[in-house]
Amino acid sequence: MTANDELYLLLRRANDAVKISEEKYMVKTVGFLTPAERVFLQKNADRPQGGRIIYFGGYAEAERTLFAAVPEYIDDSAVRDETALLSITGRNLENLTHRDFLGSLMGLGIKREMVGDILVLVGRCLIFVRREIAPYILSNLDRIGRDGVKIEIADVKDIEIPPKKTEVISGTVAGIRLDSVLSVACKTSRAKAAEYITGGAVSVNWEETENVSKGLKEDDVISVKGKGRFKVSRIGGVTKKGRFSVTVEKYI
């Protein structure tokens, strides 16, 4: 199955969710989605009659989110009830990575779409999951790799989720276009940045583009295969040399 086939299968599932939500007057969800899948559905999925679509991943800054078709007059809290937050603690957590936690969940036979963001913090890992699988995980997951762990349900209201770590990169560009800003972000030449773009390695706001002159604005997110992810955090004024100052944050 190609990537396009998978996207259109996802679209069919989302449209079915909308139909079921309308017919049975219930919240119906799909996902967790990747950011690219979310953007695709935002552009292509059916809109409910009188209801609404909510994308929610357990907290405000979630990257992976559920697609939720919500009937009219049903409160948004019903969508929050579709997720659960697992808090994992134990010894030697500092030696474990995102891949370790995800791999342990996949080892239980859990599909990736049932798991949202995995936040590896100091001394703790927070994992957002669909609520219906939380009891199964609590009963069956007691080790991550070789290390024993303790898992419990947590309330997101009681936990401070730190902002993502970033490196601030600043520079000046002749114009606020993709190749110029990417050259600042990747600390490379504009010609090399253009190679990344025309080679199909670059996405803007989760959509692949080969347009080197694509205009950018503040808060746009640029993803580069093998180089990381960047956010255009500030576009400043024009310098004395007629160039624009720009600040980019690289997620680390």
Side-chain angles (χ1 to χ4, degrees), residues 10 12-33 41 45-46 48 51-56 65-72 74-76 78-82 113 130 132:
L10 176 64
R12 194 157 61 227
R13 291 174 58 203
N15 288 340
D16 286 345
V18 171
K19 183 177 180 180
I20 293 170
S21 175
E22 292 175 335
E23 291 178 348
K24 298 188 176 181
Y25 200 77
M26 62 181 291
V27 174
K28 188 66 178 176
T29 61
V30 176
F32 292 91
L33 310 171
L41 291 184
D46 291 342
R52 60 203 182 280
I53 301 298
I54 295 175
Y55 294 89
F56 182 70
T65 57
L66 296 174
F67 170 98
V70 184
E72 194 173 11
I74 288 186
D75 191 82
D76 290 356
V79 180
R80 292 196 293 272
D81 292 341
E82 297 288 326
E113 70 172 42
R130 296 191 64 119
E132 64 262 32

Side-chain angles (χ1 to χ4, degrees), residues 26 47 52 54 59-60 95 99 105 122 127 148 158 204 208 227 232 248:
M26 62 181 291
R47 297 293 183 268
R52 60 203 182 280
I54 295 175
Y59 67 111
N95 298 320
R99 180 177 296 182
L105 292 172
V122 177
I127 303 179
D158 299 329
V204 176
E208 186 177 311
K227 299 295 180 181
V232 182
V248 176

Side-chain angles (χ1 to χ4, degrees), residues 155-197:
D155 190 331
V156 71
K157 296 177 183 177
D158 299 329
I159 294 176
E160 182 178 352
I161 297 177
K164 292 181 172 64
K165 295 181 180 179
T166 61
E167 173 192 353
V168 177
I169 305 168
S170 297
T172 61
V173 294
I176 310 301
R177 46 184 275 167
L178 180 55
D179 58 348
S180 297
V181 175
L182 189 57
S183 70
V184 172
C186 291
K187 301 178 182 179
T188 190
S189 68
R190 184 171 162 185
K192 188 64 177 178
E195 286 183 20
Y196 295 150
I197 299 165

